[in-house]
Amino acid sequence: MSGGVSRTFCTAALAALVVTSPAAAAPAAPDPAAPAGANRSVAQLLSELRQLYQQAEEATETYNGTNAELKKRAAQAKKLDAALVAARTALADSRDEAGRLAREQYQGRSDFSAYLRLLLARDPEHLLDQEHVIRRAAAGRAATVKRLTGAEKHADELATESRKVLDRQQVLAAKQKKQRDTVRARLKAVESMLATLSGAQLTDLSRLEQRDVEKAQGALAASGALSSARPPSAAGGEAVRYAIGQVGKPYVWGAEGPDSFDCSGLTSQAWARAGQVIPRTSQEQWRQLRKVPVNALRPGDLVIYFPKATHVAMYIGNGLVVQAPRPGSRVKVSPLASNPLLGAVRPDPRSTPLSTYRAPRLPQGASSGPDTGYSSSSAPGQ
């Protein structure tokens, strides 16, 4: 397996970030309470860096979740606005009709005046027919009043609901801004740490990281978890084709394509392209979708990472996943064990596997390309 595939965080390539990021141009002063990077072991540095990566990814998935909810509320508000316009139009029509009836009553042309005229008529033989006409007219008048009352109530209810949705949108927008600031702070912490490391330390980190991934991948293979060759469902195969087709596109916070993606943006859009809507964030994908054992994976299944389900990739077979690793990187193919594994989920558990399946051909360099690490410049800007 190539070194590009087995690199997860590829910290050797993170040296580029030290050179080009704002934090690198003017390195932040290390926390006085923390030991200098030179005094910590490579294993300790890697552990710290991974923790910072995980915190940053957790923050961005939380941000994505709020952003998805805000989009739903915006769509709901749009529907309510349209319904409110229609309700107010109906209310205006009902009021016009009620006004017409009031004018007729005032001018002596109401059904009550017609009834009096009927009682004084010389030809009572038409009484029953005339009473029927009067009853119909009275019923029409009652229906007009009922429509007016109902239209007023409906318009009031819609206006109240619209105000509630608007209030909720404002709360979510404030929450989103706070979460965006959290993401930026997490990214600054990554940059600050990287800025304190030497090129030799970065090289050592890369080697240790690569060794850890190879060890984890080897353990999965030895357990038999990667020995199965199950075909996907038709939808799963389509999701895999779409995801692989995005290899090489950049990771961007909150992006859902078509030109860039974040981790859950890639998986949710791949399945949407296959005709199935799944949750937007990795946490909700883990919470809502059907869990499957790792030794039962089939292409199209989603592999969830870290204890809080803050990262997701798509299984494509042969122990490999396609993923959008993190900002500064591009969509690529990686070993399944490229991050600490939490479990796996299947978006279409009731679907029938294909009888035959040929995996899509991987683009040249699908497993290569540096993961240049998180950068605050790629944090959400809204």
Side-chain angles (χ1 to χ4, degrees), residues 160-178:
T160 300
E161 184 64 21
S162 183
R163 285 192 295 270
K164 287 181 180 178
V165 170
L166 180 59
D167 290 343
R168 181 58 179 161
Q169 278 184 284
Q170 293 173 340
V171 170
L172 286 172
K175 182 179 178 182
Q176 184 188 48
K177 182 179 182 299
K178 185 177 180 180

Side-chain angles (χ1 to χ4, degrees), residues 317-374:
N318 299 318
L320 300 176
V321 296
V322 60
Q323 63 169 336
R326 60 177 179 262
S329 68
R330 294 181 179 274
V331 176
K332 62 183 294 187
V333 172
S334 307
L336 188 149
S338 56
N339 290 293
L341 183 64
L342 176 62
V345 293
R346 180 166 295 162
D348 59 341
R350 294 184 178 85
S351 61
T352 303
L354 295 169
S355 57
T356 59
Y357 173 68
R358 177 177 293 180
R361 188 172 183 176
L362 297 181
Q364 186 175 3
S367 60
S368 63
D371 296 339
T372 51
Y374 288 110

Side-chain angles (χ1 to χ4, degrees), residues 47-95:
S47 177
E48 276 188 53
L49 191 57
R50 282 173 171 167
Q51 185 177 9
L52 291 173
Y53 286 153
Q54 187 176 347
Q55 289 173 350
E57 194 148 39
E58 180 181 346
T60 193
E61 284 299 277
T62 301
Y63 171 90
N64 284 341
T66 300
N67 194 47
E69 186 178 354
L70 192 54
K71 287 180 180 179
K72 289 180 182 178
R73 295 288 178 176
Q76 184 182 4
K78 187 175 180 180
K79 287 183 179 179
L80 280 172
D81 286 345
L84 187 55
V85 169
R88 284 172 173 166
T89 300
L91 177 59
D93 291 342
S94 295
R95 283 174 174 165

Side-chain angles (χ1 to χ4, degrees), residues 96-323:
D96 288 345
E97 179 66 13
R100 182 185 65 78
L101 290 175
R103 288 192 299 273
E104 288 182 355
Q105 178 76 28
Y106 177 77
Q107 294 169 359
R109 294 186 292 111
S110 68
D111 296 325
F112 181 70
S113 298
Y115 185 68
L116 288 177
R117 288 196 299 272
L118 175 65
L119 293 178
L120 300 175
R122 293 184 178 182
D123 189 3
E125 294 182 3
H126 297 292
L127 178 61
L128 293 178
D129 289 340
Q130 293 298 323
E131 283 182 341
H132 177 66
V133 171
I134 291 173
R135 283 196 298 271
R136 287 182 59 188
R141 184 170 65 244
T144 298
V145 173
K146 185 176 180 181
R147 280 197 304 272
L148 175 60
T149 304
E152 288 176 338
K153 182 179 179 182
H154 185 50
D156 287 344
E157 288 174 347
L158 286 174
T160 300
E161 184 64 21
S162 183
R163 285 192 295 270
K164 287 181 180 178
V165 170
L166 180 59
D167 290 343
R168 181 58 179 161
Q169 278 184 284
Q170 293 173 340
V171 170
L172 286 172
K175 182 179 178 182
Q176 184 188 48
K177 182 179 182 299
K178 185 177 180 180
Q179 290 170 346
R180 178 204 61 194
D181 293 342
T182 300
V183 171
R184 288 177 172 173
R186 297 286 190 247
L187 297 177
K188 281 292 185 183
V190 174
E191 290 179 349
S192 296
M193 179 182 175
L194 292 171
T196 67
L197 304 182
S198 67
Q201 285 175 315
L202 290 169
T203 300
D204 289 342
L205 281 171
S206 179
R207 289 172 180 168
L208 178 59
E209 190 173 59
Q210 181 174 337
R211 188 185 70 188
D212 287 350
V213 172
E214 289 174 349
K215 182 179 179 181
Q217 189 78 358
L220 275 177
S223 72
L226 307 180
S227 60
S228 64
R230 293 177 175 83
S233 64
E238 181 61 31
V240 167
R241 281 189 290 275
Y242 179 84
I244 290 177
Q246 311 316 305
V247 165
K249 293 184 178 180
Y251 183 119
V252 172
W253 288 104
E256 301 175 79
D259 299 321
S260 57
F261 298 87
D262 64 13
C263 69
S264 55
L266 176 64
T267 55
S268 60
Q269 286 303 303
W271 272 97
R273 181 59 62 94
Q276 184 156 336
V277 176
I278 66 172
R280 168 62 175 89
T281 66
S282 56
Q283 291 101 330
E284 288 303 302
Q285 290 170 5
W286 173 247
R287 188 177 71 86
Q288 296 186 34
L289 302 180
R290 178 76 62 83
K291 293 176 176 60
V292 294
V294 176
N295 62 5
L297 283 173
R298 69 186 189 189
D301 288 345
L302 305 183
V303 183
I304 311 294
Y305 298 98
F306 299 108
K308 294 184 179 181
T310 52
H311 186 67
V312 61
M314 180 177 290
Y315 187 66
I316 61 174
N318 299 318
L320 300 176
V321 296
V322 60
Q323 63 169 336

